[in-house]
């Protein structure tokens, strides 16, 4: 099919920053795009050809939007999967498929999928409500500590809590949930796998998430991960195992734990471009967004190798600041070598809201890491 400068229409569900970065590629290739998002101020608005405001969880809205496109993709998992299924049944190409989304949309179903396919993952149990979970704790079926996860609608850690005491249980919402063994991991790693419609597969290098020692928040995504070749190979093998089992189309980001015994466990996956691949815009031959577009349009996949080492720092809203955003000291970080800020276009900041990210590239990963620390210390996302 001719996608370029033609009548072909690509539909994207979700108009956030991931969509906006996907649109850099569709602009480059001159592919016509239409985007659906609930917010009139969605970051995608400036770069798509058509923008529609609407609820991504509403069957009719998603169905009617999808009926008018040739290929439909999404940049967020919280979309109406029944509408995707009906569109697929009626001949619209939906990538990743409704089946893939159904498998990962609920974290409980996702974990059962790993179990079924003998993919290494932390032991878990699923509960329909908080009472059921409490009952399990009272009867010693579940032992503390453990990690509580809401099976649906969590993002960026909002649906995840480490339960260390009985008291912690009382603050949890009454929703379907999962208890997972608390993994004492050495490293958190991620591997992005791209798979096109014909089944061509490529993996990106293993990246490492470096945590703040006290706040327990990811501070840096580092590519390449500072781990042995042996562990890199193991991580890629497990990621490919997930990809093979899922038979997804598009980008699949596989989040992994490296345990103290150097076992690799799958934490979770996202079948779309992912925060752990943002570094690729500046550091890779083919960035994850272009790769996703290539994959879902069944074009040849691009080179996943890195040109240089890349480190990504998230720009999140500072605590105590809500309102019109200001990027304090952005000029200072732009004076530093190899530094590129990405501003998502959200006008309002609030504590911990993802407002942008900064990429630092350098021939040498240790040098990039030093600049990254400077960036982190210098820039501040505050309100006016
Ligand atoms: P989200 O979908 O919100 O990103 P995750 O399942 O990735 O949630 O969990 C968020 C973070 O919580 C992970 O990046 C990891 O640091 C920590 N975490 C999640 N599961 C476990 C676990 N079983 N053991 C230890 N830490 C965990």
């Amino acid at each position: 099919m001719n996608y370029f400068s033609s009548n072909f229409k690509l539909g994207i569900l979700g108009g956030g920053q991931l969509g906006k970065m996907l649109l850099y590629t569709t602009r480059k290739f001159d592919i016509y795009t239409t985007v659906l998002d609930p917010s009139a101020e969605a970051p995608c608005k400036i770069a798509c050809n058509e923008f529609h405001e609407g609820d991504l969880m509403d069957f009719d809205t998603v169905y009617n939007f999808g009926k008018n496109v040739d290929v439909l993709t999404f940049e967020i998992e919280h979309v109406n999967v029944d509408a995707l299924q009906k569109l697929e049944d009626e001949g619209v190409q939906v990538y990743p498929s409704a089946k893939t989304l159904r498998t990962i949309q609920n974290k409980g179903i996702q974990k059962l999928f790993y179990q079924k396919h003998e993919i290494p993952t932390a032991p878990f149990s699923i509960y329909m409500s908080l009472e059921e979970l409490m009952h399990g704790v009272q009867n010693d079926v579940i032992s503390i500590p453990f990690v509580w996860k809401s099976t649906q609608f969590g993002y960026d850690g909002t649906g995840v809590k480490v339960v260390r005491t009985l008291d912690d249980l009382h603050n949890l919402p009454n929703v379907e949930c999962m208890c997972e063994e608390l993994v004492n991991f050495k490293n958190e790693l991620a591997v992005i796998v791209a798979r096109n419609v014909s089944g061509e597969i490529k993996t990106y290098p293993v990246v490492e998430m470096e945590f703040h020692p006290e706040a327990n928040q990811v501070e840096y995504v580092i590519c390449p991960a500072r781990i042995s070749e042996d562990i890199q190979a193991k991580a890629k093998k497990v990621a490919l195992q997930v990809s093979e089992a899922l038979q997804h189309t598009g980008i699949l980001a596989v989040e992994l734990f490296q345990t103290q015994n150097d076992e690799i466990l799958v934490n979770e996956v996202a079948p779309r471009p992912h925060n752990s691949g943002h570094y690729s815009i500046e550091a890779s031959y083919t960035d994850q967004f272009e790769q996703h577009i290539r994959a879902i349009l069944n074009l040849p996949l691009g080179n996943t190798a890195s040109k240089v080492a890349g480190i990504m720092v998230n720009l999140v809203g500072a605590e105590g600041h809500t309102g019109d955003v200001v990027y304090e000291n952005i000029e200072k970080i732009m004076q530093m070598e190899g530094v590129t800020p990405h501003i998502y276009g959200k006008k309002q900041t609030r504590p911990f809201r993802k407002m942008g990210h900064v990429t630092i590239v350098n021939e040498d990963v240790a040098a990039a890491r030093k600049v990254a620390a400077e960036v982190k210390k210098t820039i501040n996302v505050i309100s006016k």
Side-chain angles (χ1 to χ4, degrees), residues 19 32-33 129 174 236 295 341 373:
Y32 190 96
T33 52
S129 65
N174 186 18
K236 281 195 178 183

Side-chain angles (χ1 to χ4, degrees), residues 77 107 110-111 122-123 146-150 153-162 164 178-185 188 209 211 216-218 255-257 265-269 272 274 354:
E77 287 99 288
K107 283 191 179 181
Q110 195 182 134
K111 290 284 283 191
F146 63 85
V147 182
W148 171 91
K149 295 185 180 184
S150 155
F153 307 119
Y155 63 92
D156 292 342
T158 53
V160 178
K161 294 267 173 329
V162 179
R164 294 187 190 278
M178 192 170 89
C179 292
E180 211 175 74
E181 190 175 288
L182 180 64
V183 180
N184 178 17
F185 54 81
E188 233 177 306
M209 270 75 106
F211 278 71
N216 202 32
Q217 266 182 346
V218 177
E255 295 182 30
L256 305 160
F257 297 126
L265 304 177
V266 175
N267 173 24
E268 62 169 359
V269 302
R272 54 165 169 78
H274 189 254
K354 273 190 190 160

Side-chain angles (χ1 to χ4, degrees), residues 249-306:
T249 300
I251 290 289
L252 183 75
V254 185
E255 295 182 30
L256 305 160
F257 297 126
Q258 176 190 356
T259 68
Q260 298 297 333
N261 306 329
D262 288 341
E263 253 183 300
I264 298 290
L265 304 177
V266 175
N267 173 24
E268 62 169 359
V269 302
R272 54 165 169 78
H274 189 254
N275 199 258
S276 64
H278 288 355
Y279 78 90
S280 65
I281 296 179
E282 282 81 19
S284 308
Y285 284 96
T286 310
D287 70 65
Q288 62 163 346
F289 300 98
E290 178 175 334
Q291 199 74 286
H292 185 72
I293 298 291
R294 285 177 180 238
I296 63 173
L297 300 184
N298 205 24
L299 294 164
L301 296 180
N303 185 354
T304 53
S306 295

